[in-house]
Amino acid sequence: MNNDDDQKNPKNGIDRRDFLKLSAGVAGGMMLSGGVSQLAQAADYPAIGNYPVGIKGSSVFMGIAVPRTGPYSAQGEDEIKGYLLAIDHINKGSSLARAYSPNSHKGVMGKKIEYGIADNQTKPNVAVQAISKFISEHKAMMITGSVSSAVAIAAGKLCDRERTIYLPAISGSNATTGKDCQRYSFRACHFAYTSAKALAPVIKNALGAGKKVAYLTPDYTYGHSVYNSMKQFTEAQGWSTVNNQLPPLGTSDFSTYLLNIANSGADVLVNICFGRDAVISTKQAKQFGLLDKMTLVMPYMAPFFEEEVGADLLQGVYGTTEFWWTLAEKNPMAKEFVADFEKKNGRKPGWSAHIAFLQTMLWARAVESAHTFHPPTVVAEYEKGNKITTDIGDVSWRAADHQLERPVFVIRGKKPSAMRNKADFYDVVEAVPGADVMPPIELFGCKLGSAT
Amino acid sequence: MMLQRLSRYSGGRPWVAELITLIVLLLCPVVLPLVGISADIASRILIWGLFGLGFDILFGYTGLLSFGQAAFFGTGGFVSAFLLTQTGIHGVFLALMIGMLVAMAAGVVVGFFTLRRSGIYFAMITLAFAEMFHFLELSPLSAWTGGENGLTGVPMPIVGFDSWHFQISSGWTLYGYIAAFFLVGYIVAHRIVLSPFGQVLTALRDNTPRALATGHSVRKYKLTAFVIAAGYAGVAGGLLGVLQSYMPPDAVAFHTSGQLVMQSIIGGAGTLFGPLVGAALWLGMQDFLQDIPFIAEAWMLILGIVFVILITAFRQGILGAVKQLVMKTEPATAPHATELSAEISRRTHIKGVPDEHPNQDNIPDHFFRTDTPTTKPDLLIVPKSSTSEGIALACRNLTKHYGGIYANEGITLSIPEGQLRGIIGPNGAGKSTFFKMLAGEVVPTEGQIFLHGADITGLGVTAVSQLGMSKSYQINELFSKLTVEQNLAIPVLARLRGEFRTDMLKSLNQVPGLRQQIEATLDLVNLDQRADIPVTELAYGEKRRLEIGLALASAPNVLLLDEPLAGMSPRERADTVQLLKRIRAGRTLIVVEHDMDAMFELAEYISVLQEGRLLAEGTPEEIKNDKRVQDAYLGGIEEA
Amino acid sequence: MPSLPLFLSQLFNGLATGLLLSLISAGLTIIYGTLGVLNLAHGALFMVGAYAGFMALQWTGSFVIAIFGGMIGSLLVGLVMERVIVRFYYQRPPEDQILVTFGIGIVITELVRLSFGGISKPVPIPSWGEGITRMGFLFYPNYRIEMMVFVAIALLALYLLLYRTRLGMIVRAGIEDSLMVNMLGINVYRIFLLVFGIGAMTAGFAGIVTSPILAVTPDMGEVFLVQSFVVIVIGGVGSFPGAIIGGIIAGEIVSLTSMFSPAYSQVMLFAVMAVLLAVRPQGLFGIEGRE
């Protein structure tokens, strides 16, 4: 550990030195028993972020900050289950883990993953506090979890400053890998632009030309992103936009907005709300009779939306998703994931659990491939953009904006009578390849910072 | 004795608290890591503490419970973050100062509306205003604030000039930057609460109407305190953005205000450090409890219960309890202190000027303490504002209606300078309303009032007091949480400083004449030995004397006394009668009293009110023998 | 400019949401008017009503029973709250009362969060509330119309209670002069308990009848608490007619502003309050000088 003095990082040197002084006194014994091999390994790279203090022991820490309260809590809880499943597989070195990360044995680089879970309450400030704690106290090597783009962007910025990898789970805003992209952040899910581009031709084919569209858009970055992208692609195919209502996040009574839409003359209602807001707004739209006059489109379908609104309402509703459990029928990796998840949790995974699982696996793979936890090297590994086999097909990271190029699944609500079981809500209408829907790199203004 | 007392309430040894604060702040980076507290947590605690310094001035010292401080926290934070991320301004300090100024400007606007009401109204309206700020931030202003996203990428500060500069980084160096703000914030706040300005704030808190009546412009003081609190909130908000590289939208949310209030109460309001201690406990418990598996979810519940218990049983909070404990142990050192004060007292009294009160010969011995030297300093009397042929106070056709009810009708009076005028009348004769109109507390429906010939109708109680007329109340209106001496300082400060002055950084010792006037008043009302006692511990008669003392201390040349003898024992009554005789010199006294014997003994001239009108006027002899007066009183008795 | 049908629809919607605010604010204002306590736990009692109703619905499947369940639930919580804590606060400064009820509100909310979790509970619209009523241009969900009727009945009941019963006379006299009521030999503390219970029950009733159209979550009451502050500041603290008129005004402001700019609808509510404070600080129906 003597190398740290002459390899000061201008940003983190002092913080970390203080910690080392302390640990020399308090945790000296532990450090000695930590093993010579790790110290030798640590010496290969300059200290940065929590490297190498975060990998001294026999485990590495992964900080999970998800909403467990608030409008997105259902998705947050599902994400936790996905993370726990991934951690379990990685720590056991299961065949599924090795399918993602062929170099893996038990753990990541032989280190068991330990984790902490914090409730970010869907509030960026709470998330940032929890993440600060994971980084400064637990010496986390990876931070993950988000349902709101506002949280993902704030967390990404903080982790970039702290030179710690951050992996958002759900984040639909174009900005996350656009103008707010970060060198240390990597987004694996679909988002506003890819969803809209995948969905627009499908709904045009299904509903016909010249439709008038009204939007219910949650008033923040995610909502605006999806609205702009949907507007762009539907107008490009000859539809017109007649109304856009902007309820704040966490609205409970949508009546004023719905009345405005009801009187707008629209024949398609695009509901961009997510989580609980999506459920409540859709139910209220039904109550106000909107769904009798308009076709509902949910461009960014929230996990569990189907269970909460029920199959009757969902019938014929179009949307996109990151994952749907019937993909298990075509892909052996997805099959194993869905089966194991169901065994542990007694239900099918939502796409929130899937994205959490996928992000953790892709991280383990990147670290194993880089042969180090050294954050800039891991970032460089991600940026190689190699083809990776996953349960949603082949994917690859785009180096310029850290967005995963991946398929987007367009789904449609089934007729209740056509459901094979009580979870069989959707038909996967189309799996649109990632290459077809990715935005041009310069479109959303991503400028990555330095990795060191 | 006086020196010692004043120095105690003007802060004791100067700079000791500041020095200790500095040392503790310096020790934190060394000590806290040993107990597992990170720089991040320590920095957050300091930001809440800084936020709380302003809030404590507003709530703990001025008594204004705002549930809307998040508005200013957010305003300062978003303005600084906006400047640092969206404009060419890169100086963090400059941005923080601009953020503070904008927050203070917002404070002026919000204060203008919210301070129109007090108590629960104030709490509700501040909350509603903060919600308005929240909604503005979220949507209409989202182009500048980022809406739900907040603003990311707030840079780290750089300290220094030109060639010599130092880039602050996260961790303990950033803590140091924030700690410097806290230290300066504390020094300023400490100066403010010990200043004459700060003393007036405590008076507002304890008894707003009386503070108004002693001649302080309550609205200006409240607004200033509100703006100060907004300024502290603004800087704290800006620092939050710097700490996190991110300015969060929920900084403007209701729970930010609520958390601040709870932390201040838990830590102890009115102690300056209370909010900091509350924040430490809050964040510490959050941090600690969230790591314990089964109760992790319940941390907020536990804090809520702690809060309710503290409010119910230990309203003074943690630091308040400590302070009380220290004060209770203080009598252990009393003998020495008494000696010392006696010594000081002897020295000061040597410089005193001889007593000039002509009536002293008539005063029974028991009224004076046996150990008092025969010399005492002069009590100020404010010079008359204008001259009008020796008439101190006059009113013409004074009338007050409440709806259809006439409290007073057509009263015309004229009271010569130096007279002791008695005003009597049966219950319900309208004496109180009449007195309230004279003092400026109630605006007459008709008629005019002249003080030394100048029309003072409708000027209000503060202006009337500043012009040299003050009133003592029938029911004691004291500043309940202050000591006797601190009580007397309030009217003296109004006299010496005018209705409003922002001498926030001065010490009380720098107010010339303050000590002399307090000492003279204490002497006159015979509370010299009780100067350090909180008023709640006074006996009833002592409270009555202090009540009169409050009116006297503002150096009036016209003094209104509303039933000064009410509820007194015979001995207290005799004492007070003598007191009234002694304070006559150089003043015009107008006394409302039920006690006819005392009235006939004291008054030179008596006016009798009945059913809101002037019934009769005359010397005590004439009034005693006036048939109408006898009928009025007898009639009153028969009716009762 | 919005079309006439839209304008009329929003006007009607404003009345519907406004009446709900009136009811919640009426509960808040009669507690304040009688007891002098501003109950910051009122939002929590609203939420307790929704959860108690939800539980009753789970057990019985009947929404009518759920309404009574909600009322009884919040009544009980309210009574316990008054007996155990609030009654010791009648003699304390208003700031202390605000603080303690604020704290109680947090404790109740967190207890519910711990017991039921943070995820919303479903309270479906009762079968007799499904469907839509069409009145020419105007169409409105049946349940919302029925809810308006419920709320109007509750307001009428409160009115009758306050203006047509002996208890109401005492309560109103107490608002004017609690000392006098005390001197008349009336057991004020029992009256206080009763009034607190009625106020809590009002909040609980509002909570359960709105559950089918809102999400039942532990923090569902907060937004209503803040809005009802605005309502009683507009209407005049302690005034029953003020709460009703203030509620309707607030509902209309939010509804009508949203036609032009939904983003400003909440801001407009607070702006109107600010202007009113500048012009008439005691509120529309407030008594001058009363704090």
Side-chain angles (χ1 to χ4, degrees), chain A residues 11 124-125 133 161 219 221, chain B residues 139 149 243-246 287:
Chain A
K11 285 210 156 193
N125 194 36
K133 190 182 160 196
R161 186 180 90 181
D219 194 4
T221 178
Chain B
S139 192
N149 280 6
L243 173 69
Q244 303 186 144
S245 312
Y246 170 60
D287 204 41

Side-chain angles (χ1 to χ4, degrees), chain B residues 31-115:
Chain B
V31 176
L32 292 186
L34 299 176
V35 293
I37 292 171
S38 66
D40 183 67
I41 298 272
S43 305
R44 279 175 199 285
I45 292 170
L46 282 184
I47 288 173
W48 280 108
L50 182 65
F51 190 9
L53 283 172
F55 180 67
D56 207 26
I57 289 175
L58 184 66
F59 173 58
Y61 288 88
T62 317
L64 292 170
L65 175 56
S66 161
F67 265 99
Q69 292 307 98
F72 311 112
F73 189 67
T75 301
F78 274 103
V79 167
S80 338
F82 173 78
L83 293 174
L84 288 167
T85 57
Q86 316 287 315
T87 71
I89 293 178
H90 296 297
V92 172
F93 184 78
L94 176 66
L96 288 172
M97 289 302 111
I98 297 174
M100 177 179 83
L101 291 176
V102 176
M104 289 169 87
V108 172
V109 175
V110 174
F112 171 79
F113 288 106
T114 54
L115 289 168

Side-chain angles (χ1 to χ4, degrees), chain B residues 521-600:
Chain B
T521 313
L522 278 171
D523 231 18
L524 202 58
V525 296
N526 193 18
L527 287 168
D528 204 11
Q529 294 296 318
R530 310 284 276 165
D532 276 344
I533 306 288
V535 292
T536 44
E537 291 175 23
L538 292 181
Y540 179 74
E542 291 174 320
K543 282 185 184 166
R544 282 309 286 166
R545 292 212 298 276
L546 180 60
E547 171 62 44
I548 295 168
L550 282 181
L552 271 175
S554 69
N557 49 42
V558 178
L559 184 58
L560 306 172
L561 297 158
D562 196 353
E563 301 200 21
L565 304 176
M568 286 191 164
S569 70
R571 174 168 171 166
E572 287 168 344
R573 185 182 158 279
D575 285 354
T576 310
V577 167
Q578 295 308 326
L579 172 63
L580 294 182
K581 285 184 177 172
R582 284 200 297 150
I583 60 179
R584 284 197 49 182
R587 297 182 183 84
T588 308
L589 261 58
I590 303 152
V591 183
V592 163
E593 191 45 74
H594 270 302
D595 187 331
M596 303 296 267
D597 294 339
M599 216 66 257
F600 290 137

Side-chain angles (χ1 to χ4, degrees), chain C residues 126-141:
Chain C
S127 52
W128 38 265
E130 283 168 5
I132 302 162
T133 299
R134 288 172 201 279
M135 299 169 268
F137 58 88
L138 178 71
F139 50 91
Y140 211 67

Side-chain angles (χ1 to χ4, degrees), chain B residues 194-327:
Chain B
L194 294 178
S195 71
F197 175 86
Q199 278 296 306
V200 178
L201 295 186
T202 60
L204 297 191
R205 174 194 66 195
D206 284 359
N207 193 336
T208 308
R210 189 61 192 255
L212 204 63
T214 53
H216 294 290
S217 172
V218 164
R219 273 208 63 188
K220 287 180 188 164
Y221 280 103
K222 280 184 174 176
L223 186 61
T224 311
F226 196 74
V227 171
I228 291 171
Y232 273 92
V235 178
L239 285 172
L240 180 72
V242 172
L243 173 69
Q244 303 186 144
S245 312
Y246 170 60
M247 191 60 213
D250 36 345
V252 204
F254 170 54
H255 67 88
T256 302
S257 305
Q259 188 174 339
L260 178 71
V261 170
M262 287 177 73
Q263 287 175 353
S264 302
I265 299 292
I266 290 172
T271 58
L272 289 186
F273 281 114
L276 181 81
V277 171
L281 191 79
W282 182 287
L283 296 180
M285 270 183 71
Q286 179 176 9
D287 204 41
F288 173 72
L289 293 176
Q290 280 197 338
D291 285 344
I292 302 172
F294 296 104
I295 58 171
E297 295 264 292
W299 71 271
M300 187 70 189
L301 174 66
I302 294 170
L303 276 171
I305 292 170
V306 167
F307 178 74
V308 171
I309 292 172
L310 279 174
I311 285 281
T312 307
F314 307 98
R315 174 64 174 74
Q316 69 275 45
I318 295 169
L319 278 192
V322 171
K323 204 166 144 189
Q324 211 172 46
L325 210 67
V326 171
M327 279 185 173

